[in-house]
Structures are given as C-alpha cells and as structure tokens.
Amino acid sequence: MSDPTDDNGTAGAAETAESANTSGGGGGGSAGARHARVVLVDDHRMFRTGVQAEIGQTDQTGVEVVGEAADVDQAVTVITATRPEVVLLDVHLPGGGGVEVLRRCAPLMSDAEQPVRFLALSVSDAAEDVIGVIRGGARGYVTKTITGTDLINSIFRVQEGDAVFSPRLAGFVLDAFASTDAPPVDEDLDRLTQREREVLRLIARGYAYKEIAKQLFISVKTVESHVSAVLRKLQLSNRHELTRWATARRLV
C-alpha cells in the first residue's frame, strides 16, 4: 500500500515510525502474544480487499479482520455486532462520513471494560478531515500511503490506547487544539463535496487524471466529472487556475 509519491511514514504525536516499530514489532513473522480484532470501514471494496490481504494473515500479523462495511449504516451495525478492539475508518463514506460513524458509536468508545477504538485510514490529508474525526473520538489518523507493517503497528498502538498519526498530520491536531479560535469559514470551499475536495487537491499537486482515478479507486470519467464540477462551482477556467486557487488557500 505504500506510494513513492509520499514519503510520510506513521508515527505518534511524539514518536517516530522507527520507535513504533521497535516497541511494537513488525508485521511479517510471528505476531507473538499480540492479537487485535479489527473491522474495516471503507466504501471501496477493492481497497478493503487489499487491506485484508495485507494485514489479515492472523497467524503472522496478530490482526483478525472480523467484519467489513461500506457505508455508515453498515458500519454501525457491524461494529455493534462484533465489538472489535480497533476500527479502520475511512473519512468519506456514504450516509454521513466517518464523523457520523463516530457519533453513533460514541457509547462503544466510552465503554470502560471493552472500548472500541477508531483509527482513521484515508486518502485525504486535509486538516479539516483530520481534525473532524479526532474531535469525533478517533485515536489516530494515517493516510492510505502507509505500509502494511506500519499499519499493523498502528493498529496495536491504538488498541493499547496510544494516539497515532502520520507525522505531518500530527501538526494539524496540535495546532487545532492549541488554538481557541474557530477556523475561518471558506464559503467557496464549502460549495465542494468531500470527493470534489480530494480531486481538487490531487489536481493541484500535479496528478494526471489516471493517477487520481487509481488513488481514489474511481474511473477516469468520474474524475473528469468531478473536475468539471469543481471548476464550475469555483468559477475557474482550467486546472492552472485551480492550482493557484488551491495553493493560495494552502490546500496543497
């Protein structure tokens, strides 16, 4: 699952990925006494299949995938029925998104005897997405460029109660909770859907349509439709203007 375009590993707010690996062990080889029951929540079946293949060899990784869900209602049903130790949660889901799953699963998170902990796993590295799910109760946030070994270590750290973030994302959380001021409202950005924002950021970073389609597990035609919608809503003419617009708002 690693992507050479992103050199961010996974680390807690005050630890590096190397220290996490040292303290928690790797994903290949014996899992020892470690065991975590996990539910995968993502609306892309192919991505869930890939994660299952990467982490779900329980005898080697110690991770047991006990359920999957593709939208908010399914997620709440499966999580309530299986009571996993950790939920890998996508931020953008049909039915209200990851924040809605967290809201409806709040009683499970606060269970003193058997808490369900959430680790966001998303293609988005936008500050508002990170802050939203952390405020909702997630214990961490990593991007889908993470390696299988680091993801396994992150699961066990979240299970143990640690907070886990990709390094750059930890800064968003620290800045957000250190500030008493509410973030300013960007009316132009608010016109875009979550998916349109994802496409916008990738376009602004110079990705080709085919690369965006691969990243987001959608078709090239769908990418083109999202770009057209973004240009129309923001009253821009081309991707160069779009890039300047995104850069000016520090969205890249």
Side-chain angles (χ1 to χ4, degrees):
M1 290 187 290
S2 61
D3 185 333
T5 63
D6 189 333
D7 59 2
N8 285 347
T10 300
E15 296 182 46
T16 64
E18 180 178 354
S19 64
N21 291 344
T22 301
S23 62
S30 175
R34 301 194 306 176
H35 184 267
R37 299 171 66 255
V38 171
V39 165
L40 306 178
V41 180
D42 193 289
D43 60 337
H44 296 110
R45 182 181 58 81
M46 289 179 62
F47 180 76
R48 296 198 310 271
T49 300
V51 174
Q52 168 79 274
E54 191 81 26
I55 72 173
Q57 301 298 319
T58 307
D59 57 338
Q60 296 180 3
T61 66
V63 175
E64 179 186 1
V65 178
V66 297
E68 299 182 16
D71 59 36
V72 170
D73 288 340
Q74 288 179 13
V76 174
T77 298
V78 172
I79 293 166
T80 302
T82 60
R83 298 296 293 266
E85 281 87 26
V86 179
V87 177
L88 294 180
L89 180 67
D90 193 10
V91 175
H92 303 143
L93 294 167
V99 172
E100 178 64 13
V101 175
L102 292 164
R103 185 188 70 80
R104 291 168 60 177
C105 289
L108 300 180
M109 289 189 281
S110 60
D111 188 319
E113 295 185 1
Q114 190 182 353
V116 177
R117 296 188 168 104
F118 288 78
L119 173 62
L121 175 63
S122 176
V123 70
S124 171
D125 60 0
E128 63 267 25
D129 289 336
V130 179
I131 294 165
V133 295
I134 297 304
R135 289 192 186 279
R139 295 294 303 174
Y141 193 117
V142 295
T143 61
K144 289 181 178 179
T145 57
I146 191 171
T147 66
T149 297
D150 281 343
L151 180 57
I152 291 164
N153 286 324
S154 297
I155 289 169
F156 284 111
R157 291 183 60 202
V158 167
Q159 181 190 27
E160 293 164 2
D162 289 346
V164 180
F165 300 93
S166 296
R168 191 170 77 89
L169 307 188
F172 295 155
V173 179
L174 293 174
D175 290 345
F177 285 91
S179 173
T180 56
D181 298 326
V185 175
D186 189 325
E187 294 182 358
D188 289 334
L189 189 61
D190 284 347
R191 294 192 186 101
L192 306 182
T193 67
Q194 291 289 353
R195 180 63 86 194
E196 288 168 352
R197 294 184 192 189
E198 292 175 348
V199 172
L200 163 66
R201 291 187 183 91
L202 293 173
I203 284 288
R205 291 172 184 171
Y207 283 74
Y209 285 4
K210 288 184 179 180
E211 293 173 320
I212 296 172
K214 183 178 180 181
Q215 283 264 355
L216 301 181
F217 297 93
I218 58 179
S219 69
V220 173
K221 185 176 181 180
T222 301
V223 173
E224 293 173 349
S225 297
H226 285 314
V227 172
S228 296
V230 170
L231 292 174
R232 183 181 69 255
K233 290 180 180 181
L234 299 181
Q235 298 182 350
L236 301 173
S237 300
N238 53 56
R239 65 182 296 162
H240 299 295
E241 291 183 2
L242 187 152
T243 298
R244 288 197 296 271
W245 187 93
T247 302
R249 285 162 174 77
R250 302 177 66 182
L251 298 176
V252 181

